[in-house]
């Protein structure tokens, strides 16, 4: 967005700002436009003089102020049209029945630029790269316009009383156009009217543009909330993975088949833990049988 040439409003020099935004450079100054206006005034005066310099129409014409410029810096459509002829650019009324205008109304996205006028204000709407921008000098910067919104924006301007002119011809090359053909622009925060930011500037915001201050604060809150949400989701994901791994481990342990050696060792360990009561009973029985045999032999010897 920084590569886009955009002049902010100074006095009533919107015609100059409009043309320079269209051409994307400081091509024209108030002096250039005033010279064109004077030439047009002189051409009109000569035309009126053809009817006689003593005629009432001619005398009335001389008493009237210039229709091509005034002291505030306003310039007429005739001045703008004449200035654009240097670049072989023409103006066609957007609402006219000219075949080019009819085609443009059906598909404005395929055009190159428009200039618009309401009362004494001029503004440019131009395509740079593959995107459209509102280069109104009353804004703090260029405003990105989507392709889908362009037709609605032009219709809105017409409803507000703007006269719209279609630019035909090849616009001069510019850095912004070349750059935006490679990389598309992204505008998370729309520019504001200069008058709005100037009015809000009376409040104390530590020297910051108040609109930017509010937007940055809101953006920081949104980023913080987004980080918290991501951290919560990450913790939940880690817990789910841990539970899944524990479940897999238990399942693997329960499914493992014991070997024969493991079964034998476990059996011996069990017998040892119970002191093998079956073996103890067998030994006691053998000792009792032996004692009875000894007693029988002793009695036999005494009888004899």
């Amino acid at each position: 967005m920084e590569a886009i040439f955009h002049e902010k409003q100074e006095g009533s020099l919107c015609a100059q700002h409009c043309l320079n935004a269209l051409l994307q450079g400081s091509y024209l100054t108030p002096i250039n436009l005033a010279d064109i206006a004077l030439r047009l005034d002189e051409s009109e005066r000569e035309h009126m003089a053809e009817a006689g310099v003593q005629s009432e129409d001619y005398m009335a014409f001389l008493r009237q102020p210039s229709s091509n410029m005034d002291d505030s810096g306003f310039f007429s459509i005739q001045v703008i049209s004449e200035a654009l002829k240097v670049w072989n650019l023409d103006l066609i009324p957007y609402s006219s029945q000219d075949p080019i205008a009819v085609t443009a109304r059906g598909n404005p996205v395929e055009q190159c630029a428009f200039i618009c006028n309401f009362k004494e204000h001029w503004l440019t709407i131009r395509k740079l790269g593959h995107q459209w921008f509102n280069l109104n000098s009353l804004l703090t910067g260029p405003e990105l316009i989507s392709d889908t919104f362009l037709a609605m924006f032009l219709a809105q301007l017409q409803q507000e009383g703007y006269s719209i002119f279609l630019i035909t011809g090849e616009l001069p090359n510019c850095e912004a156009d070349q750059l935006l053909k490679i990389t598309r622009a992204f505008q998370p925060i729309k520019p504001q009217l200069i008058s709005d930011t100037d009015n809000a500037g009376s409040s104390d915001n530590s020297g910051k543009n108040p609109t930017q201050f509010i937007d940055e604060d809101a953006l920081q809150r949104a980023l913080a909330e987004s980080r918290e949400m991501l951290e919560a989701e990450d913790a939940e994901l880690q817990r789910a993975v841990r539970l899944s791994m524990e479940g897999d481990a238990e399942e693997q342990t329960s499914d493992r088949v014991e070997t024969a050696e493991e079964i034998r060792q476990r059996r011996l360990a069990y017998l040892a833990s119970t002191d093998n009561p079956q073996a103890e009973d067998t030994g006691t029985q053998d000792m009792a049988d032996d004692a009875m045999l000894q007693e029988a032999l002793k009695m036999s010897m005494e009888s004899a």
Side-chain angles (χ1 to χ4, degrees):
M1 297 287 285
E2 292 79 6
I4 299 176
F5 184 86
H6 177 261
E7 290 182 345
K8 296 181 181 179
Q9 186 75 20
E10 293 183 10
S12 299
L13 299 177
C14 51
Q16 170 199 319
H17 305 321
C18 172
L19 289 169
N20 286 339
L22 175 68
L23 301 171
Q24 282 296 286
S26 300
Y27 289 97
L28 295 166
T29 67
I31 296 176
N32 301 141
L33 297 177
D35 288 342
I36 295 174
L38 290 174
R39 290 201 305 269
L40 290 173
D41 287 345
E42 181 61 21
S43 177
E44 292 173 5
R45 188 194 66 77
E46 292 175 354
H47 176 72
M48 293 297 297
E50 292 176 357
V53 294
Q54 301 300 324
S55 65
E56 293 184 2
D57 290 340
Y58 180 75
M59 299 302 293
F61 173 79
L62 293 179
R63 290 193 295 267
Q64 294 175 356
S66 171
S67 61
N68 294 300
M69 67 175 181
D70 60 26
D71 295 337
S72 69
F74 170 78
F75 296 97
S76 67
I77 182 63
Q78 289 80 10
V79 173
I80 291 176
S81 178
E82 193 69 19
L84 291 177
K85 287 181 180 179
V86 176
W87 288 270
N88 295 318
L89 299 172
D90 292 319
L91 298 173
I92 298 177
Y94 183 61
S95 58
S96 70
Q97 294 305 310
D98 187 294
I100 298 177
V102 173
T103 301
R105 289 197 298 273
N107 191 11
V109 174
E110 294 302 320
Q111 310 309 309
C112 65
F114 303 90
I115 63 172
C116 312
N117 169 250
F118 179 66
K119 296 183 178 179
E120 296 184 351
H121 183 63
W122 293 94
L123 65 90
T124 289
I125 302 170
R126 178 182 165 161
K127 179 190 287 185
L128 292 166
H130 304 290
Q131 297 171 283
W132 282 89
F133 296 88
N134 175 12
L135 303 178
N136 190 346
S137 58
L138 294 178
L139 295 174
T140 56
E143 179 184 22
L144 180 62
I145 302 175
S146 67
D147 288 354
T148 55
F149 183 65
L150 178 62
M152 291 185 288
F153 184 55
L154 292 172
Q156 177 185 342
L157 290 176
Q158 286 180 311
Q159 290 178 355
E160 293 175 357
Y162 275 86
S163 298
I164 302 176
F165 300 89
L166 170 67
I167 302 296
T168 61
E170 186 175 351
L171 291 165
N173 292 327
C174 66
E175 178 186 358
D177 187 53
Q178 296 175 1
L179 180 62
L180 291 171
K181 285 179 179 178
I182 302 172
T183 305
R184 293 180 64 86
F186 175 69
Q187 189 173 52
I189 302 174
K190 293 288 186 181
Q192 304 294 316
L193 286 171
I194 295 175
S195 59
D196 291 345
T197 59
D198 288 344
N199 292 335
S202 58
S203 60
D204 183 13
N205 276 319
S206 301
K208 284 189 174 183
N209 181 307
T211 302
Q212 293 178 347
F213 179 83
I214 295 171
D215 288 337
E216 290 176 2
D217 187 56
L219 181 60
Q220 290 300 323
R221 288 199 305 270
L223 290 173
E225 292 173 359
S226 177
R227 283 195 296 267
E228 291 175 0
M229 185 180 298
L230 289 174
E231 290 172 358
E233 291 178 354
D234 184 65
E236 187 65 24
L237 178 61
Q238 292 295 333
R239 180 175 176 274
V241 170
R242 185 172 65 255
L243 292 175
S244 176
M245 293 177 65
E246 291 174 357
D248 291 343
E250 292 176 359
E251 183 177 353
Q252 290 175 3
T253 302
S254 62
D255 291 344
R256 188 172 66 84
V257 178
E258 290 183 325
T259 64
E261 179 63 20
E262 288 174 337
I263 294 174
R264 188 179 71 80
Q265 291 295 334
R266 187 160 58 82
R267 183 178 180 187
L268 290 175
Y270 173 77
L271 292 175
S273 65
T274 57
D275 294 329
N276 200 353
Q278 182 178 357
E280 185 177 354
D281 293 342
T282 302
T284 304
Q285 184 65 40
D286 291 342
M287 291 176 63
D289 291 344
D290 188 27
M292 291 177 66
L293 178 60
Q294 291 294 330
E295 184 65 25
L297 289 174
K298 180 179 178 181
M299 292 176 65
S300 176
M301 291 175 66
E302 288 176 353
S303 319

